Amino acid sequence: MPIYTDDRYKVIIKMIEKIRPKTILEVGAFDGHRAVKMLNAAKKYNKDVKYYGFDLFENMTIDIKQSEFHSKGNVSCKQVKKRISSTDCEFELIVGNTIETLPNFKPDRPIDFVFIDGGHSLDTIASDWGNIKKIMHEGTVVVFDDYYENRNDVGCKQLI
């Protein structure tokens, strides 16, 4: 069931508190704020939580912003590393386009929770999902962002 407001981020934290993942993967790490919240929620239940964050960071261009319907500013990988390091959790940031980086991704532990909020184009979301499916286990929970009920040209609605 779609959630239309910023309450969706509160729901993600509630899901993490219920699922208690040891490993979180986020497509679209952006500035790391959501990563910090997810990690802080997960580490209440596990000492050894790991985060994998995928994003373009400094590689974001105006053309990519337009093709991926991205309206946010640019954030450096260094800034995000600093922010996430405050959690004292293990993490990896993977820089680049997920169409190129996710197919080659080999996590060193099972992925328990995935939040897909990267590119918003139909092709990128389909690619992200296709690659995430390859690294899931039976209990992996995946949450998609950017479900637009009144649009079929962008977001995950068509895929779902």
Side-chain angles (χ1 to χ4, degrees):
M1 176 177 190
I3 299 169
Y4 297 104
T5 67
D6 285 335
D7 287 344
R8 68 187 186 270
Y9 300 124
K10 293 176 186 172
V11 170
I12 289 169
I13 299 306
K14 287 180 182 179
M15 291 177 80
I16 286 175
E17 289 171 347
K18 182 177 181 180
I19 297 161
R20 300 178 178 189
K22 293 182 181 177
T23 309
I24 298 169
L25 186 150
E26 182 177 26
V27 175
F30 184 53
D31 63 8
H33 277 104
R34 193 166 29 261
V36 169
K37 289 180 180 185
M38 290 189 296
L39 286 167
N40 285 333
K43 73 181 192 177
K44 291 177 189 175
Y45 307 99
N46 297 295
K47 290 185 277 185
D48 186 27
V49 179
K50 183 164 185 179
Y51 171 86
Y52 297 99
F54 289 78
D55 211 304
L56 287 164
F57 300 110
E58 296 90 348
N59 297 334
M60 178 63 76
T61 66
I62 292 171
D63 288 341
I64 294 171
K65 283 183 180 192
Q66 290 175 341
S67 67
E68 293 298 337
F69 306 92
H70 178 80
S71 60
K72 300 175 185 172
N74 290 9
V75 180
S76 75
C77 186
K78 184 178 178 180
Q79 290 171 296
V80 177
K81 281 182 182 178
K82 183 177 179 181
R83 181 166 288 127
I84 296 174
S85 66
S86 71
T87 66
D88 292 324
C89 292
E90 185 179 354
F91 68 94
E92 289 181 40
L93 295 177
I94 297 90
V95 179
N97 188 320
T98 54
I99 290 174
E100 298 164 1
T101 58
L102 266 174
N104 302 312
F105 177 64
K106 305 282 187 261
D108 58 359
R109 43 166 98 181
I111 304 298
D112 300 319
F113 185 84
V114 179
F115 183 48
I116 299 178
D117 185 20
H120 301 146
S121 72
L122 301 177
D123 289 341
T124 298
I125 293 171
S127 174
D128 290 347
W129 173 233
N131 288 301
I132 291 297
K133 287 192 292 188
K134 296 173 188 174
I135 58 172
M136 291 171 54
H137 60 78
E138 188 176 297
T140 302
V141 172
V142 179
V143 176
F144 288 84
D145 198 23
D146 306 306
Y147 183 100
Y148 306 110
E149 198 163 289
N150 59 347
R151 294 186 71 172
N152 291 318
D153 62 330
V154 64
C156 66
K157 177 184 170 190
Q158 214 172 18
L159 179 74
I160 291 172

